[in-house]
Amino acid sequence: PAQSSLLYSRLRALRQQYPRVKLIAFVEDSAASGGYYIACAADEIVADHNSIVGSIGVISTSFGYVRAIARQGMTRRVFTAGDSKAGIDAYLPVKFKDLQRQKHLMKQLHSNFIAAVKDGRGDRLQPEVAASLAFNTTAWSVPGFRTPSNSTLKKLVNAGAGLFDGSTYSGATAVELGLVDRLGDYRTDLRKVYGRMVSLIDIDSTDASLAFWRLLRHLLTVI
């Protein structure tokens, strides 16, 4: 998440430095997890109706080989200076204190992610709509309970259901939830706003010579 956070902060700083330049994030295939983190730095997010958007959460995965190596007659030997140095080891049983530390770390990273989304999207987010959608997609098999009660809805909103629980959505649904501002694509949208002769530049990520400030200067000149 650090790289997404750094890009987010840099883009926010550039928005303040160049207030006349509107920053628009155009989503094509997906803006999920770290990609959405970065997109939230923009003034506006535009996506295709089939784009994958959201996944505001943190994940940590691994495998456990404790029984597997035991069947082979092997044992894991770890020597550390510091009780927490080894952390969760795939070849050792998970210790409760290590698991708690891992959960605490993930919760902290998740909180930072949520704060960035709230700061970037503001009152455009629709937490009650997202919570209702989450309720309906998990309680669909219970007849007669399509609409959550006010107390249930409040609990779901406070828990971040549908918004901050790692859920992903199509671009069309993301618009309804306030994760995306509207549907579109960058070529059509920019030509509609600035005319057919607008200059569109595709940036090659391997071209290190094109610094971001040069791109902004070009945008100020052309657009």
Side-chain angles (χ1 to χ4, degrees), residues 62-190:
S62 67
F63 293 95
Y65 296 98
V66 179
R67 295 181 181 178
I69 65 172
R71 286 195 294 266
Q72 299 299 320
M74 296 184 293
T75 58
R76 171 76 160 168
R77 295 174 180 174
V78 179
F79 306 97
T80 67
D83 293 339
S84 303
K85 182 62 178 178
I88 295 179
D89 191 305
Y91 298 96
L92 293 173
V94 177
K95 296 180 181 178
F96 177 77
K97 64 178 183 178
D98 291 331
L99 180 60
Q100 293 302 108
R101 289 192 181 99
Q102 183 75 355
K103 288 182 176 180
H104 176 74
L105 174 61
M106 294 176 67
K107 185 176 180 179
Q108 186 177 29
L109 298 177
H110 192 199
S111 296
N112 295 338
F113 192 172
I114 292 172
V117 173
K118 287 183 176 180
D119 189 35
R121 299 300 296 164
D123 58 8
R124 287 172 290 185
L125 294 172
Q126 301 295 322
E128 292 189 355
V129 177
S132 295
L133 179 59
F135 177 85
N136 286 325
T137 54
T138 55
W140 62 271
S141 60
V142 182
F145 289 91
R146 294 287 184 176
T147 303
S149 64
N150 290 335
S151 60
T152 298
L153 183 61
K154 185 176 181 179
K155 290 179 181 178
L156 291 172
V157 170
N158 291 337
L163 275 184
F164 307 126
D165 59 358
S167 297
T168 55
Y169 302 100
S170 68
T173 301
V175 172
E176 299 176 6
L177 305 183
L179 296 171
V180 168
D181 293 288
R182 55 190 174 83
L183 301 178
D185 68 273
Y186 84 100
R187 292 185 182 275
T188 302
D189 280 37
L190 293 183

Side-chain angles (χ1 to χ4, degrees), residues 196-215:
R196 294 174 57 190
M197 300 305 293
V198 66
S199 179
L200 302 177
I201 302 176
D202 290 324
I203 304 302
D204 185 354
S205 60
T206 61
D207 185 4
S209 64
L210 183 58
F212 201 88
W213 67 268
R214 290 179 57 198
L215 173 61

